[in-house]
Amino acid sequence: MSLPTSLRLPALVPRARYTTPPSPEHPEPHPRKAAPAVETFDKTARPGLYYERPRRERDLPPLQSKWPAILALGAAGVGAWAVFMVFVSNQEKLSSSVMQQIMNTLREDPALRDVLGEAIRPEPLWWMNGDPWISGAIHMPGGNVDLSFRVKGHKGAGTLYFTSIRREKGQPFEILRFKVIADDGREVNITPAKPS
């Protein structure tokens, strides 16, 4: 029984060679190398010579603890925070309404002008960046104001002391101490101006 013509297998056709065989005009680009010779051993290999590790002439320095550096940085941070809080607290006192009223009263007092002269102002300090240092506290909700600071005029300088309390809530503040002690020892009691 013969197969139909459409199902017959084609005859084997030799595969075409697309490479040019080596010739004197076209030598082989990469000549093949001969396989390396295989060497076999019938005994185990001898161990190599043992050399003792050279010893160090001196030991390495011990590792220093990091705790001193950490403690120093922590102390510096706490100190910087404390200085910043003191500066902010002083600036808050300087900008308070109590401080403004005190300075207005000092400039209008004739007895103090005779002692310190004109242009009475708080005495600046270099370590406060030109601002005065205000000692004491201003605690208005608690009814307590206690301040002292240096003042100066064109004649001289002195220290001001001011204390005022509020005995009961809702009552006005009562001035207990309001005076300036000049550097020459003279004491001037300041009379606050009565509100008009």
Side-chain angles (χ1 to χ4, degrees):
M1 180 177 178
S2 61
L3 293 173
T5 306
S6 61
L7 297 178
R8 290 180 183 176
L9 294 173
L12 294 176
V13 179
R15 179 176 294 179
R17 297 181 64 186
Y18 297 100
T19 59
T20 304
S23 63
E25 293 81 7
H26 303 284
E28 189 174 2
H30 301 288
R32 298 181 180 178
K33 296 181 180 180
V38 178
E39 185 179 359
T40 58
F41 300 94
D42 55 352
K43 294 182 180 179
T44 59
R46 292 186 305 170
L49 297 177
Y50 172 75
Y51 296 97
E52 185 179 0
R53 178 179 296 177
R55 296 181 178 179
R56 296 188 300 267
E57 295 181 359
R58 58 185 179 85
D59 294 336
L60 294 175
L63 294 176
Q64 296 181 354
S65 177
K66 296 182 179 179
W67 281 109
I70 294 175
L71 292 177
L73 289 176
V78 172
W81 176 79
V83 170
F84 174 75
M85 291 303 296
V86 168
F87 181 78
V88 169
S89 176
N90 192 67
Q91 291 296 320
E92 185 178 0
K93 296 173 190 175
L94 278 173
S95 60
S96 66
S97 60
V98 174
M99 186 71 181
Q100 300 300 324
Q101 292 177 3
I102 291 175
M103 291 309 304
N104 290 335
T105 304
L106 290 180
R107 295 186 183 102
E108 295 174 358
D109 190 90
L112 185 62
R113 286 203 302 266
D114 292 339
V115 175
L116 300 184
E118 301 293 336
I120 298 174
R121 62 196 181 278
E123 186 175 14
L125 299 174
W126 64 269
W127 53 271
M128 286 298 294
N129 197 22
D131 291 330
W133 170 250
I134 311 298
S135 300
I138 299 175
H139 190 50
M140 300 297 288
N144 182 20
V145 177
D146 189 12
L147 299 176
S148 67
F149 56 92
R150 295 278 300 172
V151 292
K152 64 181 298 186
H154 79 281
K155 288 183 180 180
T159 304
L160 176 135
Y161 299 93
F162 179 84
T163 304
S164 178
I165 61 171
R166 184 178 59 198
R167 300 187 183 277
E168 294 180 3
K169 189 175 181 179
Q171 297 293 324
F173 277 84
E174 178 183 351
I175 297 176
L176 301 181
R177 181 178 60 169
F178 194 5
K179 64 181 179 180
V180 174
I181 300 178
D183 293 343
D184 58 4
R186 287 182 291 177
E187 182 175 328
V188 180
N189 290 309
I190 308 300
T191 304
K194 296 182 180 180
S196 55

